[in-house]
Coordinates of all heavy atoms in Angstrom, one line a residue:
G4 N 20.7 5.0 194.6 CA 20.4 5.7 195.8 C 21.6 6.2 196.5 O 22.6 5.5 196.6
V6 N 22.5 7.8 200.4 CA 22.0 8.1 201.7 C 23.1 8.6 202.6 O 24.0 7.8 202.9 CB 21.2 6.9 202.3 CG1 20.7 7.3 203.7 CG2 20.1 6.5 201.3
E49 N 18.5 0.6 191.8 CA 19.0 -0.8 191.7 C 20.1 -1.0 192.8 O 20.3 -2.2 193.2 CB 19.7 -1.0 190.4 CG 18.7 -0.9 189.2 CD 19.4 -1.1 187.9 OE1 20.4 -1.9 187.8 OE2 18.9 -0.5 186.9
F66 N 22.1 -4.2 209.4 CA 20.7 -4.2 208.9 C 20.7 -4.3 207.4 O 20.0 -5.0 206.7 CB 19.9 -3.1 209.4 CG 18.5 -3.2 209.0 CD1 17.6 -3.9 209.9 CD2 17.9 -2.5 207.9 CE1 16.3 -4.0 209.5 CE2 16.6 -2.6 207.6 CZ 15.7 -3.4 208.4
E89 N 32.0 12.1 198.2 CA 32.4 10.8 198.4 C 31.8 9.8 197.4 O 32.4 8.9 197.0 CB 32.2 10.4 199.9 CG 32.9 11.1 200.9 CD 34.4 10.9 200.9 OE1 34.9 10.0 200.1 OE2 35.1 11.6 201.6
K147 N 15.7 29.5 194.4 CA 17.0 29.5 195.1 C 16.8 29.1 196.5 O 15.8 29.5 197.1 CB 17.6 30.9 195.0 CG 18.0 31.3 193.6 CD 18.8 32.6 193.6 CE 19.3 32.9 192.2 NZ 20.0 34.2 192.2
N172 N 25.1 16.0 186.2 CA 25.0 17.1 187.2 C 26.1 17.0 188.2 O 26.8 17.9 188.6 CB 23.7 17.1 187.9 CG 22.5 17.2 186.9 OD1 21.5 16.5 187.1 ND2 22.6 18.1 186.0
A176 N 29.4 19.3 188.9 CA 29.7 19.8 190.2 C 31.2 19.6 190.6 O 31.8 20.4 191.2 CB 28.8 19.2 191.3
L181 N 32.8 22.5 193.1 CA 31.7 23.0 194.0 C 31.9 22.4 195.4 O 31.5 23.1 196.4 CB 30.4 22.6 193.5 CG 30.0 23.2 192.1 CD1 28.5 23.0 191.8 CD2 30.3 24.7 192.1
L195 N 23.7 24.6 190.2 CA 23.4 23.8 189.1 C 22.1 24.1 188.4 O 21.9 23.9 187.3 CB 23.4 22.3 189.5 CG 24.7 21.7 190.0 CD1 24.5 20.3 190.6 CD2 25.7 21.7 188.9
K204 N 3.2 15.9 203.2 CA 3.7 16.1 204.5 C 5.1 15.4 204.7 O 5.3 14.3 204.1 CB 2.7 15.5 205.5 CG 1.4 16.3 205.6 CD 0.5 15.8 206.7 CE -0.8 16.6 206.7 NZ -1.7 16.1 207.7
G209 N 14.9 13.7 213.7 CA 16.2 13.9 214.3 C 16.2 14.5 215.7 O 17.3 14.7 216.3

Side-chain angles (χ1 to χ4, degrees):
V6 180
E49 298 180 31
F66 188 85
E89 296 292 353
K147 290 187 177 180
N172 304 131
L181 299 188
L195 296 173
K204 294 182 179 179

